[in-house]
Amino acid sequence: MRAFYILVASALWTAHSCYGKLLPRRTKLTWVNGIAHMPEHMSDPTFVISTIFGGVKVDYCHNPSSMTSESDYLGFVKDGIQASTHVMMGRLTPEVDSLVEHLRNALKQVGRNGRVIHIAHSQGSVITWLAAQRLKPEECKRIEIISFGGAATICTSEFPFARCINYYSVNDPILNVVPSAVKALKSGFSFGDGMQQEIIFLASRTGDPATDHGLLNPTYLEALVWEGQRYQSLFLSPLGQMAGAAFVGPLSSTVTWFPNFAYEMTRRACIAMVRIFTLLWELVHVTITRLLGKGERYDPILLKTS
C-alpha cells in the first residue's frame, strides 16, 4: 500500500509540473503614459502593447494632459512644467495617487502568487518612481517595472520590485534630466553591480532625438517587442500563445510598420501546438510508466571472482 501512495504522489507531482507549464501564474499588464496624452491618445498604444504581449488585456492609468487639442502648445508647456516638478522636487500629485490605486487594484486581481507587469514611458516613469515610495515592500515584490525613456530610473537597489529594466535611446533628450542614466552611459556601457545592470542603452533607429523618444517609434518599439517575447515565454501557456496567434495575428496585420508580424504569430502558433502535445504526452507517459512500475531501475552487476 505504501508503494501505491508513493506512485500516486509521484504521478501527482508530475501532473503538477506539467500543469505549471500549461497554466502559468496569473499576470496583469498595465502601463502609464508620459506628457501630452489626451484620453483619445491612449487607445492606440494600449492596442499595440496588447498585440505585442500576446493579446492579453492591458489596463492603462491615464496621466492626464493640460492640452485640449493637438495644437494646444500652452497646454504642452504646462505638462512640461508639471513634469519638472515631479523630477526636480519629487512632488506628489493626484496622478501619483491614481497610479498607486491602479497598481494595488492590479495586485488584487492577480492574487498573492500573481505578477503585475507595469510599463512606464517618459513622465510616467517618474510618476511610477514616486508611486513606488507609497507601496509596501511586499507589494513591490509582485511587480515588474519596464521603463522606456524614463524621466527617472527605477532600480531594485532602491525598491524591492521583482524586476526593473530601464531602456534609453542613446540620443533621447530625456537623458538631460536623468543624471543616473547619463553616468551609466558615460561609463562606456560597463554594466556592473547595482543599478547599472538595469539600464539598457539602445542605438537610434531613426537618427532623430525627438522621434526616438516616442514609445511606438522604431527605437523603443524594438525593445518593447523583446519584452513581449519574454512575457509570452514566461507567463503565457502554449495554449494561450496559440490563441494569441490565432486571434491577434490577423488583427495585427493592420500594424503596417511591424514587418512580418502576422507570419511571426503564425510560426508561434505552430510551436505552441507542438509544445501542448509534447507536454500532454510527457504527462501521460510518465504517469503510466510509474503506475505500472516500468520505470528505469538499476540492476547491480555481479563480478565473478576467479
Side-chain angles (χ1 to χ4, degrees):
M1 183 60 70
R2 182 184 178 187
F4 173 76
Y5 286 132
I6 293 176
L7 287 172
V8 171
S10 177
L12 290 174
W13 175 255
T14 303
H16 173 75
S17 300
C18 293
Y19 177 84
K21 296 178 183 178
L22 288 169
L23 297 174
R25 71 168 72 183
R26 295 181 63 185
T27 60
K28 190 68 179 178
L29 200 60
T30 77
W31 83 283
V32 60
N33 58 284
I35 68 171
H37 277 66
M38 294 183 289
E40 57 267 30
H41 294 152
M42 300 300 293
S43 58
D44 284 350
T46 301
F47 165 76
V48 172
I49 293 172
S50 174
T51 301
I52 290 174
F53 280 71
V56 298
K57 185 178 183 296
V58 179
D59 289 340
Y60 63 80
C61 180
H62 182 220
N63 168 29
S65 172
S66 298
M67 297 175 62
T68 57
S69 66
E70 297 281 354
S71 58
D72 184 2
Y73 296 108
L74 179 60
F76 181 83
V77 171
K78 290 181 179 179
D79 282 355
I81 293 174
Q82 185 210 41
S84 67
T85 64
H86 285 147
V87 176
M88 304 299 179
M89 297 183 289
R91 181 172 169 234
L92 299 178
T93 61
E95 292 80 10
V96 178
D97 295 332
S98 296
L99 183 57
V100 171
E101 182 180 1
H102 176 83
L103 291 173
R104 283 179 173 160
N105 286 336
L107 287 170
K108 289 179 182 178
Q109 293 180 45
V110 299
R112 295 180 61 183
N113 296 321
R115 182 66 57 87
V116 172
I117 315 298
H118 178 65
I119 297 172
H121 175 241
S122 192
Q123 184 195 12
S125 297
V126 73
I127 293 175
T128 300
W129 180 77
L130 292 169
Q133 301 175 24
R134 303 265 304 276
L135 294 173
K136 299 176 182 178
E138 55 268 25
E139 293 174 325
C140 291
K141 290 177 181 178
R142 294 187 285 137
I143 301 175
E144 292 188 9
I145 303 295
I146 308 172
S147 173
F148 296 90
T153 53
I154 306 171
C155 57
T156 54
S157 61
E158 187 174 9
F159 306 105
F161 286 115
R163 175 178 180 252
C164 291
I165 191 76
N166 300 267
Y167 289 102
Y168 287 100
S169 170
V170 292
N171 65 345
D172 191 329
I174 200 73
L175 288 172
N176 293 315
V177 296
V178 190
S180 56
V182 173
K183 180 180 178 181
L185 180 60
K186 289 182 177 180
S187 69
F189 303 93
S190 177
F191 300 147
D193 295 332
M195 183 175 62
Q196 290 188 19
Q197 65 185 2
E198 296 174 343
I199 301 177
I200 303 291
F201 293 103
L202 307 170
S204 171
R205 295 294 183 267
T206 68
D208 177 49
T211 301
D212 278 340
H213 182 66
L215 178 62
L216 300 186
N217 285 326
T219 302
Y220 288 142
L221 180 63
E222 184 175 11
L224 190 63
V225 171
W226 298 341
E227 290 294 334
Q229 293 172 343
R230 175 186 179 273
Y231 173 85
Q232 292 188 56
S233 65
L234 291 179
F235 300 116
L236 281 191
S237 67
L239 183 61
Q241 294 180 41
M242 184 176 67
F247 296 103
V248 180
L251 190 62
S252 66
S253 62
T254 60
V255 187
T256 56
W257 36 261
F258 194 2
N260 300 322
F261 197 92
Y263 165 79
E264 178 66 14
M265 296 301 289
T266 303
R267 182 184 68 83
R268 291 181 186 178
C270 296
I271 295 175
M273 291 178 66
V274 172
R275 287 178 179 175
I276 289 174
F277 289 122
T278 301
L279 288 171
L280 290 176
W281 168 250
E282 178 185 351
L283 173 61
V284 173
H285 179 263
V286 173
T287 301
I288 292 176
T289 299
R290 292 184 178 180
L291 287 176
L292 295 179
K294 295 183 178 181
E296 294 183 1
R297 293 179 298 180
Y298 169 71
D299 293 323
I301 300 175
L302 300 178
L303 298 177
K304 295 181 179 180
T305 58
S306 56

